[in-house]
Amino acid sequence: MSKGFFALVLCAQTVVGQKFAAFDAAVSSSVYSSKSFAAELAVAESSGYWCSVGHHAPGDVVSWTGEFNSRRQISGVQLRWSYAPAEVKVLTSADGGNFEEAAAWRRIARAEPSFEETVMFARPVAAKAVMVLMRGPKPWGYFGLAHAAALSGSASFMLVSGAPSREEQCAVAGPKGLRAEACLGAMVAGEGKEIFSLSEDGQLKTQGGQCLGLRSGGLVFRTCAAGQGAWEVTADGQVKQGGVCLMLSGERVEAVDCGEAAALGSDKFFQVAVTAQDPAAVVAVQSMGSLLKASVERQRKLMARLQALLPRLASCKSSSLKGLSPRVEFSLAAAGQSASGVNLGQKIGERFGPGVGEANSVLLESAKVLKTVAAAAR
């Protein structure tokens, strides 16, 4: 599909109640210019942004710290990158001077320099300052933040696996417990099965109101009730209940001994806040997808009819084709446009529409037929 295909439809979402706490001031350990790229520019919504001095060595760690005038109860931090690092870690301080780890080092897999992400903490904390640590410069060479704000109150989130994978894998609720699925695919489905929350007593809940529990060493979803066992998401990314941790195992998410899970290296899951989810948007996408499928099918039939008539072109008088060439060339140019699209657009198109492969096939066949007609029209 063409770039941005379907992406606008998914933007028609409604905020589900996430609250933000704005920082009152900010400092940084590195700044390109204190006048034009100061740390404070990432505190308020503006056209400016904080930027580091750049040219950092692979092991260099740069910090940006947001400060509150008084202590606030927060559960994470939302970061809008101008120049993202390779890795990020978050510390919090209850007194503004002594910091402790709230979220361990995590790799940023996205390739573009600018995007928005949310880092969730293992548990809500009282903080007077939040320090964002960055390391690992990417091709652009700088670290930069356009805006940063703390999350206050409870939040819905996805559990994204820290295990290496071609596509980021998310824990998704299924009929037999948890399964692993590509995060983009789960999001595009619009069913909300990848969205969870923690109740006040620590139970891991789905959007449908069921809670994740342990039964005979396996994972099950059941009606939430007191005393079923609390889950904890630790600062280093383990999701655990007692000595049992979640672990990615192929296409499944299993419950195993935490020591065994850590040894295998598939025990890390990072919370990614979900601030918007609207099932109605999926209905709109499904409707548009049906129209596009019908359009592609109609185009295929028209091209088949035209293909069948091509042998008769030689018998047509040149005057009957006069004036056709410009219109054909315009159609040929349109058909020859890149249909690679972006990953999100591809995912949406493949699930609800004709899909990139099918659309490309029709476009290329149309281009061949139109090229033949254009040649005869000259």
Side-chain angles (χ1 to χ4, degrees):
M1 294 300 163
S2 60
K3 189 173 183 179
F5 173 71
F6 270 139
L8 290 177
V9 179
L10 284 190
C11 290
Q13 298 180 331
T14 55
V15 177
V16 295
Q18 180 61 57
K19 297 179 180 179
F20 297 94
F23 293 110
D24 299 302
V27 295
S28 64
S29 64
S30 173
V31 60
Y32 187 84
S33 167
S34 58
K35 292 183 178 180
S36 303
F37 298 97
E40 290 85 355
L41 291 175
V43 169
E45 295 279 4
S46 68
S47 57
Y49 60 93
W50 163 76
C51 185
S52 70
V53 71
H55 308 293
H56 306 293
D60 289 349
V61 176
V62 173
S63 67
W64 181 95
T65 305
E67 302 171 339
F68 298 116
N69 289 335
S70 58
R71 194 178 300 173
R72 304 288 296 270
Q73 191 79 6
I74 61 175
S75 57
V77 60
Q78 185 184 70
L79 305 171
R80 189 183 307 155
W81 296 109
S82 295
Y83 297 109
E87 294 181 282
V88 62
K89 177 180 180 177
V90 180
L91 310 177
T92 61
S93 171
D95 59 9
N98 299 296
F99 287 84
E100 59 182 22
E101 184 177 275
W105 284 110
R106 57 185 288 183
R107 183 176 61 88
I108 296 178
R110 295 179 63 164
E112 64 269 34
S114 305
F115 55 89
E116 186 176 282
E117 71 167 339
T118 304
V119 179
M120 298 289 293
F121 301 158
R123 63 187 65 81
V125 298
K128 196 174 180 183
V130 177
M131 182 182 294
V132 180
L133 300 180
M134 296 152 268
R135 71 182 181 191
K138 292 194 173 184
W140 36 89
Y142 301 92
F143 302 143
L145 276 172
H147 188 247
L151 279 68
S152 60
S154 59
S156 297
F157 55 85
M158 298 187 297
L159 288 172
V160 182
S161 172
S165 177
R166 188 174 65 88
E167 290 187 79
E168 286 187 325
Q169 299 292 304
C170 281
V172 177
K176 296 182 179 180
L178 285 175
R179 69 177 190 273
E181 186 175 322
C183 297
L184 264 182
M187 292 165 60
V188 165
E191 298 172 349
K193 293 182 179 180
E194 76 285 6
I195 301 175
F196 302 93
S197 62
L198 283 172
S199 65
E200 291 185 359
D201 59 354
Q203 295 195 63
L204 191 63
K205 297 177 61 176
T206 67
Q207 275 205 313
Q210 290 190 309
C211 285
L212 183 68
L214 297 171
R215 180 184 297 165
S216 302
L219 296 169
V220 295
F221 282 104
R222 55 197 179 194
T223 303
C224 299
Q228 289 183 335
W231 292 92
E232 176 190 4
V233 185
T234 67
D236 64 352
Q238 284 190 320
V239 183
K240 60 190 300 184
Q241 185 176 128
V244 175
C245 285
L246 298 185
M247 184 187 79
L248 184 68
S249 177
E251 296 182 353
R252 297 181 298 169
V253 177
E254 300 178 341
V256 299
D257 176 79
C258 290
E260 179 185 344
L264 292 171
S266 299
D267 61 326
K268 299 296 188 289
F269 289 87
F270 298 101
Q271 293 173 283
V272 176
V274 178
T275 57
Q277 201 274 334
D278 182 12
V282 180
V283 177
V285 173
Q286 288 174 331
S287 177
M288 186 178 292
S290 297
L291 289 174
L292 282 169
K293 284 182 179 179
S295 297
V296 168
E297 183 59 30
R298 181 174 179 273
Q299 179 76 354
R300 180 183 286 109
K301 290 179 179 178
L302 288 173
M303 287 301 105
R305 289 172 58 188
L306 189 54
Q307 183 79 44
L309 293 173
L310 287 181
R312 299 171 58 182
L313 273 179
S315 64
C316 293
K317 295 180 180 180
S318 59
S319 60
S320 64
L321 296 174
K322 188 177 181 180
L324 179 61
S325 181
R327 290 193 295 274
V328 171
E329 294 293 350
F330 175 81
S331 299
L332 182 57
Q337 289 177 353
S338 171
S340 59
V342 294
N343 288 339
L344 179 59
Q346 289 179 358
K347 290 287 186 181
I348 300 171
E350 289 166 2
R351 185 175 185 93
F352 298 106
V356 175
E358 187 177 353
N360 274 351
S361 175
V362 173
L363 287 173
L364 291 174
E365 186 60 35
S366 299
K368 291 177 183 178
V369 175
L370 291 172
K371 186 176 181 178
T372 303
V373 176
R378 293 189 181 97

Short mmCIF file of all heavy atoms in Angstrom, two decimals, residues 262-289:
data_model
loop_
_atom_site.label_atom_id
_atom_site.label_comp_id
_atom_site.label_asym_id
_atom_site.label_seq_id
_atom_site.Cartn_x
_atom_site.Cartn_y
_atom_site.Cartn_z
N ALA A 262 15.75 -16.59 34.16
CA ALA A 262 16.86 -15.64 34.03
C ALA A 262 18.04 -16.27 33.32
O ALA A 262 18.72 -15.63 32.50
CB ALA A 262 17.27 -15.12 35.40
N ALA A 263 18.30 -17.56 33.60
CA ALA A 263 19.41 -18.26 32.97
C ALA A 263 19.19 -18.42 31.47
O ALA A 263 20.14 -18.36 30.68
CB ALA A 263 19.60 -19.63 33.62
N LEU A 264 17.93 -18.59 31.06
CA LEU A 264 17.62 -18.75 29.64
C LEU A 264 17.57 -17.41 28.92
O LEU A 264 17.59 -17.36 27.69
CB LEU A 264 16.28 -19.48 29.49
CG LEU A 264 16.28 -20.95 29.94
CD1 LEU A 264 14.87 -21.52 29.94
CD2 LEU A 264 17.19 -21.78 29.02
N GLY A 265 17.47 -16.31 29.68
CA GLY A 265 17.52 -14.98 29.09
C GLY A 265 16.26 -14.52 28.40
O GLY A 265 16.30 -13.58 27.60
N SER A 266 15.12 -15.14 28.68
CA SER A 266 13.86 -14.74 28.04
C SER A 266 12.83 -14.30 29.07
O SER A 266 11.62 -14.47 28.89
CB SER A 266 13.30 -15.90 27.21
OG SER A 266 14.20 -16.27 26.19
N ASP A 267 13.32 -13.76 30.20
CA ASP A 267 12.44 -13.45 31.32
C ASP A 267 12.11 -11.96 31.43
O ASP A 267 11.43 -11.55 32.37
CB ASP A 267 13.09 -13.89 32.63
CG ASP A 267 14.41 -13.16 32.88
OD1 ASP A 267 15.12 -12.87 31.89
OD2 ASP A 267 14.74 -12.88 34.04
N LYS A 268 12.54 -11.13 30.48
CA LYS A 268 12.35 -9.69 30.59
C LYS A 268 11.13 -9.23 29.79
O LYS A 268 10.99 -9.54 28.60
CB LYS A 268 13.59 -8.94 30.11
CG LYS A 268 14.86 -9.26 30.91
CD LYS A 268 14.73 -8.80 32.36
CE LYS A 268 16.04 -8.93 33.13
NZ LYS A 268 16.40 -10.33 33.39
N PHE A 269 10.24 -8.51 30.46
CA PHE A 269 9.08 -7.88 29.82
C PHE A 269 9.00 -6.44 30.30
O PHE A 269 9.06 -6.17 31.50
CB PHE A 269 7.78 -8.60 30.18
CG PHE A 269 7.63 -9.95 29.54
CD1 PHE A 269 8.14 -11.08 30.16
CD2 PHE A 269 6.98 -10.09 28.32
CE1 PHE A 269 8.02 -12.33 29.58
CE2 PHE A 269 6.85 -11.34 27.73
CZ PHE A 269 7.37 -12.47 28.36
N PHE A 270 8.90 -5.51 29.37
CA PHE A 270 8.85 -4.10 29.72
C PHE A 270 7.44 -3.56 29.52
O PHE A 270 6.78 -3.86 28.51
CB PHE A 270 9.84 -3.30 28.87
CG PHE A 270 11.27 -3.73 29.09
CD1 PHE A 270 11.90 -4.56 28.18
CD2 PHE A 270 11.96 -3.32 30.21
CE1 PHE A 270 13.21 -4.97 28.38
CE2 PHE A 270 13.27 -3.72 30.42
CZ PHE A 270 13.89 -4.55 29.51
N GLN A 271 6.98 -2.79 30.50
CA GLN A 271 5.65 -2.19 30.41
C GLN A 271 5.69 -0.98 29.47
O GLN A 271 6.51 -0.09 29.63
CB GLN A 271 5.18 -1.73 31.79
CG GLN A 271 4.92 -2.86 32.77
CD GLN A 271 4.62 -2.31 34.15
OE1 GLN A 271 5.52 -1.90 34.88
NE2 GLN A 271 3.36 -2.29 34.51
N VAL A 272 4.79 -0.98 28.52
CA VAL A 272 4.64 0.17 27.61
C VAL A 272 3.22 0.68 27.77
O VAL A 272 2.25 -0.03 27.49
CB VAL A 272 4.89 -0.24 26.14
CG1 VAL A 272 4.64 0.94 25.21
CG2 VAL A 272 6.32 -0.74 25.98
N ALA A 273 3.09 1.89 28.26
CA ALA A 273 1.78 2.44 28.58
C ALA A 273 0.91 2.58 27.34
O ALA A 273 1.38 2.92 26.25
CB ALA A 273 1.92 3.80 29.26
N VAL A 274 -0.37 2.32 27.52
CA VAL A 274 -1.36 2.49 26.46
C VAL A 274 -2.28 3.63 26.88
O VAL A 274 -3.05 3.49 27.83
CB VAL A 274 -2.18 1.20 26.24
CG1 VAL A 274 -3.25 1.41 25.18
CG2 VAL A 274 -1.27 0.05 25.86
N THR A 275 -2.17 4.75 26.19
CA THR A 275 -2.96 5.92 26.56
C THR A 275 -4.23 6.04 25.74
O THR A 275 -5.09 6.87 26.03
CB THR A 275 -2.14 7.20 26.39
OG1 THR A 275 -1.68 7.29 25.04
CG2 THR A 275 -0.92 7.19 27.32
N ALA A 276 -4.36 5.25 24.67
CA ALA A 276 -5.55 5.34 23.82
C ALA A 276 -5.86 3.99 23.20
O ALA A 276 -4.96 3.28 22.76
CB ALA A 276 -5.35 6.38 22.73
N GLN A 277 -7.13 3.64 23.20
CA GLN A 277 -7.57 2.41 22.55
C GLN A 277 -9.06 2.53 22.28
O GLN A 277 -9.85 2.71 23.20
CB GLN A 277 -7.28 1.18 23.42
CG GLN A 277 -7.21 -0.14 22.64
CD GLN A 277 -8.56 -0.81 22.46
OE1 GLN A 277 -9.48 -0.59 23.25
NE2 GLN A 277 -8.69 -1.61 21.42
N ASP A 278 -9.43 2.48 21.01
CA ASP A 278 -10.82 2.70 20.62
C ASP A 278 -11.27 1.61 19.65
O ASP A 278 -10.90 1.64 18.47
CB ASP A 278 -10.97 4.08 19.98
CG ASP A 278 -12.42 4.38 19.59
OD1 ASP A 278 -13.31 3.62 20.03
OD2 ASP A 278 -12.65 5.36 18.88
N PRO A 279 -12.03 0.62 20.11
CA PRO A 279 -12.49 -0.45 19.22
C PRO A 279 -13.29 0.06 18.03
O PRO A 279 -13.33 -0.58 16.98
CB PRO A 279 -13.37 -1.32 20.14
CG PRO A 279 -12.88 -1.02 21.52
CD PRO A 279 -12.48 0.43 21.50
N ALA A 280 -13.94 1.23 18.17
CA ALA A 280 -14.73 1.77 17.06
C ALA A 280 -13.86 2.10 15.86
O ALA A 280 -14.32 2.07 14.71
CB ALA A 280 -15.48 3.02 17.52
N ALA A 281 -12.59 2.42 16.11
CA ALA A 281 -11.69 2.72 15.00
C ALA A 281 -11.50 1.50 14.11
O ALA A 281 -11.33 1.62 12.90
CB ALA A 281 -10.34 3.20 15.53
N VAL A 282 -11.55 0.31 14.71
CA VAL A 282 -11.38 -0.92 13.94
C VAL A 282 -12.54 -1.11 12.98
O VAL A 282 -12.37 -1.58 11.85
CB VAL A 282 -11.26 -2.14 14.88
CG1 VAL A 282 -11.08 -3.42 14.08
CG2 VAL A 282 -10.08 -1.94 15.82
N VAL A 283 -13.74 -0.74 13.41
CA VAL A 283 -14.91 -0.85 12.54
C VAL A 283 -14.73 0.01 11.30
O VAL A 283 -15.04 -0.41 10.17
CB VAL A 283 -16.20 -0.43 13.29
CG1 VAL A 283 -17.40 -0.47 12.37
CG2 VAL A 283 -16.42 -1.34 14.50
N ALA A 284 -14.20 1.22 11.48
CA ALA A 284 -13.95 2.10 10.34
C ALA A 284 -12.92 1.51 9.40
O ALA A 284 -13.06 1.57 8.18
CB ALA A 284 -13.50 3.47 10.84
N VAL A 285 -11.87 0.91 9.97
CA VAL A 285 -10.83 0.29 9.15
C VAL A 285 -11.39 -0.90 8.38
O VAL A 285 -11.10 -1.10 7.20
CB VAL A 285 -9.64 -0.15 10.03
CG1 VAL A 285 -8.63 -0.94 9.21
CG2 VAL A 285 -8.96 1.07 10.64
N GLN A 286 -12.23 -1.71 9.04
CA GLN A 286 -12.82 -2.85 8.37
C GLN A 286 -13.69 -2.41 7.19
O GLN A 286 -13.66 -3.01 6.12
CB GLN A 286 -13.67 -3.65 9.36
CG GLN A 286 -12.86 -4.42 10.38
CD GLN A 286 -13.73 -5.08 11.44
OE1 GLN A 286 -14.81 -4.58 11.76
NE2 GLN A 286 -13.25 -6.17 12.01
N SER A 287 -14.44 -1.32 7.38
CA SER A 287 -15.29 -0.80 6.32
C SER A 287 -14.44 -0.33 5.14
O SER A 287 -14.73 -0.64 3.98
CB SER A 287 -16.14 0.34 6.86
OG SER A 287 -16.92 0.91 5.83
N MET A 288 -13.38 0.42 5.43
CA MET A 288 -12.51 0.90 4.37
C MET A 288 -11.80 -0.26 3.68
O MET A 288 -11.61 -0.26 2.46
CB MET A 288 -11.49 1.89 4.93
CG MET A 288 -10.62 2.55 3.87
SD MET A 288 -9.45 3.75 4.55
CE MET A 288 -10.58 5.03 5.11
N GLY A 289 -11.41 -1.25 4.46
CA GLY A 289 -10.75 -2.41 3.89
C GLY A 289 -11.64 -3.15 2.91
O GLY A 289 -11.19 -3.60 1.85
#
